[in-house]
Amino acid sequence: MSRARCPVKPPPPTRLRTAVSAVLIVLACLLLPFGTLAAWAAYGLTDTGRYVTTMAPLASDPAVRNEVVDTVVDGILREAADDRLPLHPQVTPFVHDAVRAFTHTPAYRRAWDAGNEEAHKAVMTALHDDRGGAVTVDLAPVATRLKDQLAADRVPFADRVPVTHTRVALLPAGELAALRKGYRVLDIAGFWLPLAAVALAVTGIAVAAGRRRALTATALGTAIGGAFLGLAVAIGRHLTLADLPDQSHRPAAAAIYDALTATLRTASWLLLAAGLTVAGGAWLSRHVRPLHRVHAVRGDPEPASAHPPAPLGRPDDPLPGPPPPQAPAGASPPTRP
């Protein structure tokens, strides 16, 4: 009786599978750098603790420290001039040296962290609250600590400098609506874009007719995306510094930009290195084959054994040995005892 066979559905055409795989892999490689950028903006810049930790080393940066010293000295002298306090010509360099010495103290680092924390909280509150106006931060706590330190260092007129609740505008009210929309888009894209890129890449490799080739293409696309992301960070740095109206602020702005984008630059290098590593591994697995496969393809004979195989026989046959010695002609056969 013949056995009934189940009908087997033929596989899809190779060309169709290759085309679908190529489209999915291209989409994945395009979404990967944008997803990394969105994730960095959504999760790296919006966390207050992470932001303060990132900005903390800048308190000791020479360019940032010089910017802080110049800003604080100008503010003290402006306050003294508004209050018509008599200032000796030698007071200005003395105040400048005193403020610079203050930037080397732990109190300055605490004031730096407190100012960055207050500024970040104010910005994030404005992005989440649609009813807020312009984003400002009060510098009175920082100014109070500075005044106490200057008075302890016996800086002239330091105790007479008024500490007012000076609110510095961080974001104007007219730009908050667009920033809120952009923040909401980044919050969604930061989660879904990387997930979509991974899903498309896995699907593209799974449906490909040649999976090793699809894996190599995905790895190379990932490396290109990482290089593109690093190039975008460099171009953004150049444009940010070029748009500054005062070129004297460029060193401090460059230090801040580099600190904020350090994680993004690291991610771009990781994508580049991972893509090249996987592509190199796929190439090696394709071209470096085991030795016996090479012999089989070339038709090389197998190496002969050093000892010939023993002749086949029955299990009870005696083992082969040397022939017995022949008796000389005319000799009588040996007698048994």
Side-chain angles (χ1 to χ4, degrees):
M1 181 181 295
S2 62
R3 182 180 299 178
R5 295 184 179 181
C6 297
V8 179
K9 187 178 180 180
T14 304
R15 292 183 179 179
L16 179 60
R17 294 175 59 185
T18 303
V20 172
S21 174
V23 171
L24 294 177
I25 291 175
V26 168
L27 289 177
C29 295
L30 289 177
L31 289 181
L32 187 59
F34 292 102
T36 305
L37 180 62
W40 165 79
Y43 301 106
L45 297 182
T46 57
D47 185 82
T48 301
R50 189 178 295 112
Y51 175 81
V52 173
T53 302
T54 302
M55 298 294 289
L58 293 178
S60 303
D61 186 87
V64 176
R65 183 178 293 166
N66 293 335
E67 192 70 23
V68 171
V69 170
D70 295 339
T71 303
V72 173
V73 171
D74 292 342
I76 292 176
L77 297 179
R78 191 183 306 110
E79 292 288 346
D82 294 342
D83 293 342
R84 298 180 181 180
L85 299 177
L87 295 179
H88 194 272
Q90 296 182 353
V91 171
T92 300
F94 186 78
V95 173
H96 193 277
D97 294 339
V99 173
R100 181 173 293 277
F102 171 72
T103 58
H104 293 272
T105 61
Y108 162 71
R109 296 183 178 88
R110 290 193 296 268
W112 173 267
D113 293 340
N116 283 299
E117 183 177 2
E118 292 298 326
H120 193 272
K121 287 182 178 179
V123 172
M124 296 309 302
T125 301
L127 292 178
H128 287 91
D129 190 4
D130 296 337
R131 299 171 298 176
V135 181
T136 60
V137 61
D138 190 5
L139 296 181
V142 180
T144 301
R145 296 181 183 180
L146 176 60
K147 176 183 176 180
D148 296 340
Q149 185 66 33
L150 295 178
D153 294 339
R154 298 180 181 180
V155 177
F157 307 109
D159 55 345
R160 300 175 60 183
V161 175
V163 177
T164 59
H165 289 275
T166 305
R167 306 194 71 85
V168 177
L170 300 178
L171 294 175
E175 299 180 0
L176 284 179
L179 290 176
R180 289 190 185 104
K181 293 180 181 178
Y183 170 73
R184 290 166 183 168
V185 171
L186 285 176
D187 193 20
I188 297 174
F191 175 79
W192 287 108
L193 281 184
L195 186 62
V198 174
L200 290 174
V202 172
T203 307
I205 296 174
V207 303
R211 294 183 178 178
R212 182 184 287 109
R213 184 177 301 175
L215 178 62
T216 304
T218 305
L220 291 178
T222 301
I224 295 175
F228 171 77
L229 184 61
L231 181 62
V233 173
I235 294 176
R237 185 181 190 273
H238 174 74
L239 295 178
T240 300
L241 299 181
D243 291 340
L244 292 177
D246 190 354
Q247 298 299 322
S248 61
H249 300 318
R250 292 187 64 179
I256 295 175
Y257 184 92
D258 292 340
L260 292 177
T261 57
T263 304
L264 195 58
R265 293 197 308 272
T266 302
S268 65
W269 281 110
L270 287 178
L271 291 177
L272 179 62
L276 293 179
T277 301
V278 174
W283 183 88
L284 288 177
S285 66
R286 181 180 180 181
H287 292 82
V288 179
R289 299 181 178 181
L291 185 60
H292 67 86
R293 291 188 178 181
V294 177
H295 286 312
V297 172
R298 294 180 179 178
D300 294 342
E302 293 292 334
S305 176
H307 301 283
L312 299 178
R314 292 182 302 174
D316 53 351
D317 289 344
L319 295 176
Q326 299 293 334
S332 61
T335 60
R336 292 184 179 180

